[in-house]
Amino acid sequence: MDVISEAIDDLRIGQVYGRRAQVPAVFAGRFDACDGVGFHVMLRGQGWLISGSEAPIAMRPGDMALIPHGAAHGFAPEPCTLDALPAAPMGLQDPPPTPLPVDMICGIYRLERGGSVHRFLRSLPDVVLISPDHRLAALIELLTEDLDAPRDGMLVTRPALVDLVLVHALRLWQARQGTGAPAWDALADPGIAAALREIHDSPQSPWTVDRLSRTAGMSRTAFTRRFTSMVGTPPMTYLIGRRLHRGAQLLRETDAPLAAIARRVGYATEFAFAGAFRREFGISPGRFRQLTEPLLS
């Protein structure tokens, strides 16, 4: 089971935002916590990455700050506490008439209509500083160009580039951490990993706790206890979440009829799927499809 792919895949029911920001050398601002995964890349200038749980981290040109589970964080010209920072301005801003000392690009997958950040990403620190290698630097350059000059096709290119930047950043960070890198503990258990693999590969199958426990090679009681401890939710709750998450992806990425989507994710009728979807996301499948934009900048 490819945990990085699973973590990025979970984000795709959200919306991609990206922008380039130039600010004065004395810029100081706080970004509040959100449901999602974000990053900032320092193209020019320097400053300090501030979080509520880590010591201030110096950022220099080329450095990337990964915010793997949307924790509150900020930037400042000098080390300080997060509470000391004012709220950072949000949204698109007109480019300055002349270049400013600090130049950054920012990207985020924001989960605004349900969903949650993958458990693997939630196991990482609040903020992670990454020094890109040549591959990640090349992807950052492509994303910067895409943000600078919106063109036909950006509804495809921008989410794809954000995906690639996140994947390569996570790979690079894991490689540099070596064997000490956090992992999703459930994958270290062969039985639980086997059950998770079946759920992810075939969420539409008529899984029961008994079937999953046999897949894991455990008794029903031992499997339920271990799965809940390692994954964070009981097996059937996790299965329902995967089915509905996959349904949300299909609503966002395809124009398939609701009945067809319901069958593809393990529901006998579109009415059963719609009821479960509303309980999970607080919105009907039809409304979710109408409101979800492929890209907002």
Side-chain angles (χ1 to χ4, degrees), residues 2-163:
D2 180 350
V3 69
I4 290 180
S5 293
E6 293 288 348
I8 300 301
D9 194 49
D10 276 2
L11 298 173
R12 291 192 176 123
I13 66 168
Q15 292 178 299
V16 176
Y17 297 80
R19 65 169 178 158
R20 186 170 183 173
Q22 294 189 44
V23 297
V26 295
F27 170 78
R30 183 190 71 253
F31 300 89
D32 291 332
C34 70
D35 292 324
V37 177
F39 61 87
H40 309 273
V41 180
M42 187 75 73
L43 301 178
R44 183 177 65 246
Q46 58 186 12
W48 291 82
L49 174 63
I50 310 297
S51 79
S53 61
E54 310 288 332
I57 301 171
M59 287 191 69
R60 296 178 174 81
D63 285 345
M64 175 179 176
L66 176 66
I67 318 299
H69 43 85
H73 62 285
F75 288 97
E78 301 290 342
C80 66
T81 63
L82 188 61
D83 291 342
L85 297 175
M90 303 299 290
L92 294 177
Q93 299 173 3
D94 294 331
T98 57
L100 292 176
V102 177
D103 187 7
M104 294 186 293
I105 62 167
C106 308
I108 186 172
Y109 260 115
R110 190 183 294 273
L111 301 173
E112 294 176 321
R113 280 183 280 279
S116 61
V117 175
H118 194 281
R119 192 174 179 87
F120 164 67
L121 294 174
R122 286 189 274 120
S123 73
L124 272 59
D126 285 353
V127 296
V128 175
L129 184 69
I130 295 170
S131 296
D133 61 5
H134 68 281
R135 295 182 183 87
L136 183 53
L139 290 170
I140 289 169
E141 183 176 355
L142 287 172
L143 178 58
T144 303
E145 291 176 358
D146 199 73
L147 292 171
D148 282 345
R151 296 185 294 271
D152 288 348
M154 71 175 185
L155 297 181
V156 175
T157 60
R158 200 163 300 173
L161 286 168
V162 170
D163 283 357

Side-chain angles (χ1 to χ4, degrees), residues 204-290:
Q204 76 282 359
S205 294
W207 295 111
T208 63
V209 175
D210 285 337
R211 281 190 64 197
L212 289 169
S213 64
R214 288 196 296 271
T215 297
M218 303 178 193
S219 71
R220 176 189 174 103
T221 301
F223 169 73
T224 301
R225 184 186 305 115
R226 190 176 301 180
F227 189 102
T228 303
S229 174
M230 289 188 159
V231 177
T233 59
M236 298 311 290
T237 302
Y238 186 84
L239 171 63
I240 291 169
R242 294 311 307 173
R243 286 174 170 172
L244 295 174
H245 189 99
R246 180 59 182 151
Q249 288 180 303
L250 292 170
L251 286 167
R252 186 179 189 274
E253 298 170 0
T254 75
D255 58 0
L258 188 58
I261 291 175
R263 290 192 297 273
R264 288 176 64 178
V265 298
Y267 285 87
T269 69
E270 62 184 281
F271 304 106
F273 171 67
F277 191 95
R278 186 185 293 274
R279 288 191 294 272
E280 179 78 6
F281 294 102
I283 189 172
S284 71
R287 186 64 174 158
F288 179 91
R289 174 173 266 170
Q290 291 173 359

Side-chain angles (χ1 to χ4, degrees), residues 175-209:
R176 291 178 178 173
Q177 295 298 304
T179 56
W184 195 19
D185 290 342
L187 298 183
D189 184 294
I192 301 303
L196 285 169
R197 188 160 47 247
E198 293 290 355
I199 290 173
H200 281 254
D201 289 348
S202 303
Q204 76 282 359
S205 294
W207 295 111
T208 63
V209 175

